[in-house]
Amino acid sequence: MAAQRAGYTVTMFLVDVSPSMGKTRIVELPDGPNGELRDMEMTHLEWALQFVMLKIQEMIFNGRKTDQCGVILFGTDETENCINQTNGGYEHVSEYVPVGQPNANTLSKLAALRPSEETHGDPIDALIVGIETQDRYLSKKKTWTRKIVLLTDGESPIEVEDWKATVKKMQVLDVGLTIVGVDFDDEEIEFHEEDKPHIKRENEAFYQKLTEALPTSVIGTLALALEEVSRPEIKQTRSTLMGTVLRLGDPENDPLESMEIVIKTSKCTALARPKGWKRFAPKETTEPHEDEDEDMDGETEKKNVWTELKMRTEYYIDTTGGEHREDDENEDEDVEDKMDVDGEEKKQAMKVEKEDLVKGFKYGSTFVPCPDGQFERLTTRKGIEICGFFAKSGFRREYPMGEIQYIWADPVQPQQQVALSSLVQAMEKQRTLAIARWVGRDGSDPKMGVLYPCEFERVDCLLWAQMPFADDLRKYTFSPLENLVNKKGEKVIKHPYIPTDDQVKTMEKFVDAMDLMDAGEKNEDGKRDAWFDPRLSYNPAIHRTKQALFHSAVVQDLATNPLPPPHPELTKYFEPPRRVLKRVRGAVEECKTAFKVKEVPKRVARTRKDEHVHAQDEDEELLLDRVPKPATQRQTQPQRTLTRSPTTPRVTRIQLKRNDNDSESETESEDDDMELLLASKGKGKAASPKLPTPSASPEGSPQPDPGRAPGRIVGTTAPLKDFQRNIAQGDIVSKAVEDMGWAVKDVVMRPFSARRHREMKECLRALRAVCSQEDEIDAWNSIMQDLKEACLSDPGNVVFWEEMRKERRTLGLIGKSEARKLGGKSGVSDAAAEAVILGAVIICDCYQPLPVPVLLPSYNDYSGRFSSIAYLCMALAWGNGGPGRYQVVASEPRVDVVESLFPDAVMFNLIDRYLYDISEANEASDSELRTNEVA
């Protein structure tokens, strides 16, 4: 996109106020705080004016005097325009806002607009009036840009007799036309209005013909236009060329071996900053009653008015000798409060005037006075002087600071252009950069920087990047982590701080998996582009604040019409790409294993005797519902030691041990454990004297801890609810699936988790359903394999995995056939999916020329006895060729082991022959197994 000159533009807004614009419609609003759907009823005119007001706010926000606009209405009851006053005609067209720089009054006038009751206006008449009004205003400003924006619902009659003459006039004046229609058909968003009136259909066709005749014109629907207004955009503007001189050598003392090139400089990049904020505070004013006589009674009415706060600086000398001096970091923040609030502080300090002070500069721990306000400057001369050249490979990309500048040769001097082009090409050929000193004007401080050669298609130039001085660099040297020396001076080779070869390879794999250069969308050649583009990454602090300001100025009531969510272009780089998350999942698990990463449980803040609580960690979530318990609740805490009645001769103490790894949440009350313990002690015995029990928690107690680890969005307290809530958002499916698998595995591996087995299976059913629908099949298969390994490890949870085997049809791995029915893809064959969930022993026939592996299901008996498949293996070994023919290859294999032994899945049909119930297998004897299976 070609750069345009900032400002110097007049935009005419032509707004249709015909009776049809008074029709009402329902506009969807952002969801409420509790997720409820909300909408609002407004007229077509109010909806269209939101676009006009947002565009005008952009002009006010930029604050350029050369960015001006005007508003013309058509369909009004009266007629007031420049053509009607001189030549007559062009009825029902009025100039509502004259051309000029917009302000807050412009927005107020637009907000007060209402549609007419019976009068219709002609859009072509309004277009001609807008062109003429704009042309008269710019009669002496030929270089200004002219734009016209027409807003209508297309239901007013149009006289299309002389529209071609209007098009020719717009082409001569180079006027850009934008037509924004209410409920116009738009192919880009696939919108087509149903039951469209015949006149609107004909008018839309005419507007399409009109915009096609003008090369700089566009047409679109209002819904898309409002969305595009909130899109973050970086405007490319032409920078002003500033003249200076580029010197090589010393032209004054050695003119024969030096040269000067007349150049122009302009900005290549410019730092965008948020607008500054102004402080306001309520001020109470008194106003007399208007309906009463002030002479009769002096009653006044108090009224709060918001007034702008302005900074006022006063200087004081501390006469206390600095006894109460704060740290330097907090001194600036507290000085205002001290001066305004603490009256005693002012009494102890002596006020001085600014004229009595001497400016000084801090040098170490002392201040160096400077009566003149600045030290003597260097004698400098305006221009850019090349000090030397160095290899391009020695350029440090972290050193450039500030903005980049273009350095061009003088456009009107060909000789200077040839000289600069020769310098650029020579630097490019030698692959060198230049060190240069830039002085903006005579006597000013110099800047050191680097000149970088840049060759465009038709012009050569230099890029200037400012570099720091040597004193500005802070060099911190650290010895390499791999060089560890003990007290004896010997080099340590093995140490927890020195990574092993396996850890280095694992980390390299993890870094390679996070590569973003091939994580973007596919291009025309079918190759994936880079995921991150700095040109499309926007600063949320600028654009989101700007959107909030604009919305607050347009909307009358923020409670009923809240701020809409940010534009997707602003948030598309907030989350990592799903493609990379899937690719990195295996590398993350390998890193966890190689580096022995373990989750560190959070320390729960406990109430102390003096009612203080521990401070939260920096990375701990700030939850407003976590309120420390008041002092009255301390006595309701569960007692750590319970005793019998004092009347009993012997005191028996029951020590309750807190188990941090319980399957329930860490904030679970100890009342349940106490009741279970007392109930087990009291079975079959007479009722003993009641022990003191804690009272119920009072209202307002803190909410239970969701059990979410840092960085997790699914907790262990209510994983199913957390999972369903995150899936409903729709944009964090992969993260929710990953954290759900972690939560189930964490709960299952805890002691005493049997009471939550049913809940965990419900979570897995919901997880499997989401993975089947959201193309997360590989993630589900990976989660199930990890869960199996954890359950069958030591100590593990074999009981839970046996329950999973019984429900393999609904909770098993997703094979290729099932994935194909679901419209997805799976990397696990059907037989491998069956084998992994059932468990298997792979034996190999050693009498074959090439060992043929045979896969048989293994129903492991977790009580310690041989598995039924072990009996079967012995039967096969002794009944078919004697010992040594069959050897066990793998037991309880993963999918990758099964796939490597069975690349074509030919032998998996053997599974169905050996599928029998585990209870029958345990009850069968050795002879029955040998007879049934070997036969």
Side-chain angles (χ1 to χ4, degrees), residues 73-91:
L73 310 179
F74 60 96
T76 58
D77 296 332
E78 65 280 352
T79 301
E80 185 180 354
N81 59 76
C82 58
I83 302 180
N84 178 266
Q85 293 174 358
T86 57
N87 302 324
Y90 299 93
E91 302 291 336

Side-chain angles (χ1 to χ4, degrees), residues 439-466:
V439 178
R441 62 179 182 273
D442 293 340
S444 63
D445 294 334
K447 299 178 182 178
M448 296 301 297
V450 168
L451 295 178
Y452 192 99
C454 185
E455 295 181 340
F456 290 105
E457 184 178 356
R458 301 180 59 183
V459 66
D460 297 334
C461 67
L462 294 170
L463 296 179
W464 158 273
Q466 184 178 355

Side-chain angles (χ1 to χ4, degrees), residues 443-722:
S444 63
D445 294 334
K447 299 178 182 178
M448 296 301 297
V450 168
L451 295 178
Y452 192 99
C454 185
E455 295 181 340
F456 290 105
E457 184 178 356
R458 301 180 59 183
V459 66
D460 297 334
C461 67
L462 294 170
L463 296 179
W464 158 273
Q466 184 178 355
M467 305 288 281
F469 289 94
D471 295 340
D472 297 330
L473 296 177
R474 299 292 184 266
K475 296 181 180 180
Y476 300 100
T477 56
F478 299 96
S479 59
L481 297 177
E482 297 180 356
N483 297 341
L484 294 182
V485 181
N486 56 17
K487 295 181 178 179
K488 298 180 180 180
E490 300 173 349
K491 185 176 181 180
V492 180
I493 300 177
K494 292 184 178 180
H495 192 272
Y497 292 165
I498 300 178
T500 62
D501 294 339
D502 182 41
Q503 291 175 340
V504 172
K505 293 179 181 179
T506 304
M507 184 56 65
E508 289 179 353
K509 183 179 179 181
F510 174 61
V511 173
D512 293 340
M514 293 191 297
D515 188 6
L516 300 177
M517 296 306 295
D518 59 347
E521 300 294 334
K522 291 184 178 181
N523 53 22
E524 298 177 354
D525 299 332
K527 299 181 180 179
R528 293 189 177 273
D529 295 329
W531 174 73
F532 181 75
D533 189 350
R535 297 170 299 179
L536 302 179
S537 178
Y538 307 99
N539 187 350
I542 297 176
H543 297 281
R544 183 60 170 167
T545 304
K546 175 181 172 183
Q547 182 186 5
L549 289 173
F550 287 9
H551 182 79
S552 301
V554 172
V555 174
Q556 302 296 332
D557 186 6
L558 287 176
T560 58
N561 192 356
L563 178 67
H567 196 277
E569 288 294 324
L570 190 62
T571 59
K572 69 178 182 179
Y573 291 135
F574 280 13
E575 297 293 337
R578 296 177 59 182
R579 176 182 176 84
V580 174
L581 291 179
K582 291 182 180 179
R583 186 173 59 192
V584 82
R585 188 179 293 120
V588 170
E589 295 300 326
E590 293 182 10
C591 284
K592 290 181 179 179
T593 304
F595 292 94
K596 299 179 181 179
V597 178
K598 296 182 180 179
E599 180 183 357
V600 179
K602 289 185 178 181
R603 296 182 59 185
V604 181
R606 301 180 182 276
T607 307
R608 298 171 57 184
K609 293 182 179 181
D610 51 357
E611 305 306 326
H612 290 288
V613 295
H614 294 287
Q616 291 181 330
D617 296 334
E618 294 180 357
D619 56 347
E620 189 173 359
E621 297 179 357
L622 180 61
L623 301 178
L624 298 179
D625 56 352
R626 291 186 181 179
V627 182
K629 294 183 179 181
T632 56
Q633 297 185 17
R634 249 195 329 145
Q635 301 165 4
T636 66
Q637 297 293 331
Q639 298 180 6
R640 305 294 289 184
T641 303
L642 302 179
T643 62
R644 294 179 183 270
S645 173
T647 58
T648 56
R650 181 180 179 182
V651 179
T652 302
R653 298 190 177 186
I654 304 174
Q655 184 70 25
L656 297 181
K657 296 182 179 180
R658 183 177 183 87
N659 192 346
D660 293 335
N661 294 325
D662 197 3
S663 61
E664 297 293 331
S665 63
E666 287 74 11
T667 58
E668 181 180 2
S669 174
E670 295 178 356
D671 298 350
D672 298 337
D673 297 338
M674 189 185 305
E675 292 174 3
L676 292 175
L677 184 60
L678 295 177
S680 62
K681 293 289 184 181
K683 286 185 179 179
K685 296 181 181 180
S688 59
K690 293 184 178 181
L691 297 175
T693 57
S695 60
S697 300
E699 296 182 359
S701 60
Q703 297 294 330
D705 184 8
R708 301 190 191 99
R712 299 289 185 181
I713 60 177
V714 177
T716 56
T717 304
L720 186 57
K721 292 182 179 179
D722 293 348

Side-chain angles (χ1 to χ4, degrees), residues 13 15-17 20-30 39-55 57 110-115 149-155 180-186 189 191 193 200 220-229 551 554-556 561 564:
F13 292 98
V15 183
D16 187 1
V17 293
S20 58
M21 293 292 286
K23 295 180 180 179
T24 59
R25 62 184 301 113
I26 300 298
V27 178
E28 296 182 359
L29 300 178
D39 50 36
M40 183 178 183
E41 184 178 11
M42 63 176 61
T43 63
H44 289 174
L45 179 60
E46 293 174 342
W47 198 35
L49 286 177
Q50 286 189 5
F51 175 80
V52 180
M53 297 170 74
L54 289 173
K55 297 295 287 186
Q57 282 182 85
L110 289 175
L113 273 178
R114 297 293 181 269
V149 180
L150 175 66
L151 293 99
T152 180
D153 60 355
E155 297 188 15
V180 181
V182 178
D183 294 334
F184 275 21
D185 295 343
D186 198 315
I189 61 176
F191 174 77
E193 183 183 8
K200 186 173 183 178
T221 187
L222 180 58
L224 180 61
L226 287 173
E227 181 180 350
E228 290 300 313
V229 167
H551 182 79
V554 172
V555 174
Q556 302 296 332
N561 192 356

Side-chain angles (χ1 to χ4, degrees), residues 347-365:
K347 294 179 180 180
Q348 297 177 359
M350 181 178 65
K351 184 178 180 180
V352 295
E353 299 297 331
K354 183 179 181 180
E355 291 76 10
D356 300 333
L357 300 177
V358 176
K359 190 174 183 180
F361 295 90
K362 191 172 184 180
Y363 184 76
S365 59

